Amino acid sequence: MSKVAWLFPGQGSQAVGMGVALAQSEPAAKAVLQEADSALGFELSKLMAEGPEETLKLTEHTQPAILTHSIMATRAFGDRLPKADFVAGHSLGEYSALVAAGALAYADAVRTVRERGRAMQVAVPVGVGAMAAIIGMTQPDVEAGCAEAQAKTGKVVVPANFNGAGQIVIAGHAEAVEAAMEILKAKGGRKMMKLPVSAPFHSPLMEPAKAHMEPVLKALAFKAPDCPLVNNVDAKVVTEPEALRDGLVRQIPGAVRWESTMALLLKEGVTTFIELGPGKVLSGIAGRLAKEAGVEVKAYSVGAPEDMAALVG
C-alpha cells in the first residue's frame, strides 16, 4: 500500500520574507508566529519578514525561523494534506518533525533550537571551523580523503551529511577542510564548494554543544509520536520518547544520514513525499534518490499558499 512521509528541512533554507504570504492567508500560520514571539521574548516574526539577512543567518535565529516556518505550514495545511505514515527531518528539521507528530510542544521546541544554535556557535569560534560540499564522490572515497587530510594537518575533518545523489558534506577545522578539498579534487571529485555557515555542524567539534544541550533536552517533555519518526543520526524508525530525546542529543556531533533515511522510507513503501517549510531541497533529493532506486514517487514542497493548489490540483 502506498505510504506518505512528511519531510522537514534544516539550516540553509532560510530567506528574508519566509512565511509572510502564509501568515497573511492562513490564521493558523499567523498564530504560530505569535506563539514564537511570545515563547522567545523577541519578534522573530519581524526578523523572518523583514530581515536583515545577516541577522537572520545567525544560527541562533536561523534555527527557530526554519522550525517556525515548517510548523506554520503544518498547522495551516496539515488537515488538507495526506496523513503522514512517517515523519523525518534533516538535522534541525527533526525538531519540526517531532512537533508535527505531536511528540514535542512547539513552544518548547522553538526555545530549544534557539539554545541549540547558540551552543553550536559558542562551541567553535567563527573562522575556526568550516563545511564544504563534495560532489561526485562515493562515501568510502570521501572518508578516505578526510582521514588523509586529518593525518596531514593534525586537525579534524569528517563527513557530516550524507545527502545522496552524489553529495556529501564534510566539516571540521577550516585548515583540515581545505586540505580535504584539495585531496578529494585530486582524486577526481567533480565539484568542491565551501558552505556559507558559521560553524562545523555534525562533527566532533560539536561535542561541547552536545554537552550543553544534553540537560536542556533532558528537561523537555516528550510523548510518543502520532506516527513513527525516522531519525537522521541512525536512519532508523523511532517511536519511544526516550529514544527520540537521545537521537536529538547524538545528532549534534553525529553525521546526518539522509540518504539512508530516504532509502528506509522507500523500503517502507513511501511513494509520496511532502516537504513542509522553506525551500525545496528535500523534495528534490527525494525525487532524485527514488529515480536512482527505480521507484516512482511524487514529491512536493509546501511552504506557501500556492503550493497547496499545486498539490491538490
Side-chain angles (χ1 to χ4, degrees):
M1 189 170 110
S2 176
K3 294 180 181 178
V4 176
W6 289 3
L7 308 178
F8 297 88
Q11 196 157 328
S13 297
Q14 71 279 356
V16 173
M18 60 193 295
V20 170
L22 199 52
Q24 290 172 343
S25 65
E26 299 288 338
K30 185 177 180 179
V32 174
L33 277 179
Q34 292 169 338
E35 189 176 354
D37 291 351
S38 176
L40 295 173
F42 78 97
E43 289 187 302
L44 178 69
S45 57
K46 185 175 181 180
L47 179 59
M48 290 169 63
E50 302 174 12
E53 184 179 1
E54 288 305 310
T55 305
L56 181 62
K57 282 168 61 177
L58 293 174
T59 303
E60 67 176 274
H61 298 145
T62 301
Q63 295 199 20
I66 290 172
L67 166 72
T68 295
H69 192 172
S70 287
I71 301 309
M72 289 170 68
T74 302
R75 292 199 178 160
F77 303 130
D79 290 345
R80 290 175 260 172
L81 292 172
K83 184 179 177 182
D85 296 289
F86 297 93
V87 292
H90 191 285
S91 184
L92 157 75
E94 194 160 298
Y95 286 83
S96 306
L98 289 170
V99 174
L104 187 60
Y106 167 69
D108 286 343
V110 78
R111 284 190 292 262
T112 301
V113 299
R114 187 185 189 200
E115 188 67 20
R116 180 181 185 265
R118 286 171 167 168
M120 287 177 156
Q121 191 58 75
V122 169
V124 183
V126 175
V128 172
M131 300 183 78
I134 311 299
I135 311 296
M137 298 200 80
T138 65
Q139 180 175 333
D141 285 343
V142 172
E143 290 172 337
C146 286
E148 187 176 334
Q150 287 194 133
K152 179 180 178 181
T153 63
K155 304 284 188 179
V156 170
V157 59
V158 296
N161 296 353
F162 297 101
N163 288 332
Q167 184 194 105
I168 298 173
V169 174
I170 62 174
H173 289 110
E175 179 185 349
V177 169
E178 291 284 357
M181 291 171 70
E182 292 176 11
I183 289 165
L184 293 168
K185 186 175 183 180
K187 292 180 182 292
R190 191 165 74 244
K191 187 177 180 182
M192 315 283 140
M193 183 172 59
K194 287 282 285 290
L195 300 183
V197 297
S198 55
F201 307 124
H202 302 291
S203 78
L205 300 184
M206 290 290 107
E207 284 292 342
K210 175 188 172 185
H212 177 87
M213 290 303 298
E214 199 158 6
V216 175
L217 287 162
K218 189 174 182 180
L220 293 185
F222 285 79
K223 296 192 294 186
D226 298 333
C227 66
L229 170 94
V230 180
N231 73 355
N232 61 65
V233 72
D234 303 311
K236 290 183 178 179
V237 174
V238 184
T239 57
E240 292 296 322
E242 287 308 311
L244 298 172
R245 187 195 319 272
D246 179 62
L248 294 179
V249 172
R250 291 187 295 111
Q251 67 152 248
I252 295 172
V256 176
R257 302 187 180 279
W258 193 251
E259 183 172 14
S260 298
T261 296
M262 296 301 300
L264 176 58
L265 289 169
L266 290 170
K267 183 180 178 182
E268 290 284 347
V270 172
T271 56
T272 299
F273 295 91
I274 302 173
E275 179 177 9
L276 288 147
K280 302 180 179 181
V281 172
L282 300 185
S283 50
I285 290 176
R288 290 193 295 272
L289 291 179
K291 187 176 181 180
E292 288 178 5
V295 179
E296 188 172 333
V297 302
K298 295 178 180 179
Y300 306 93
S301 60
V302 178
E306 60 267 23
D307 296 331
M308 275 302 296
L311 195 155
V312 300

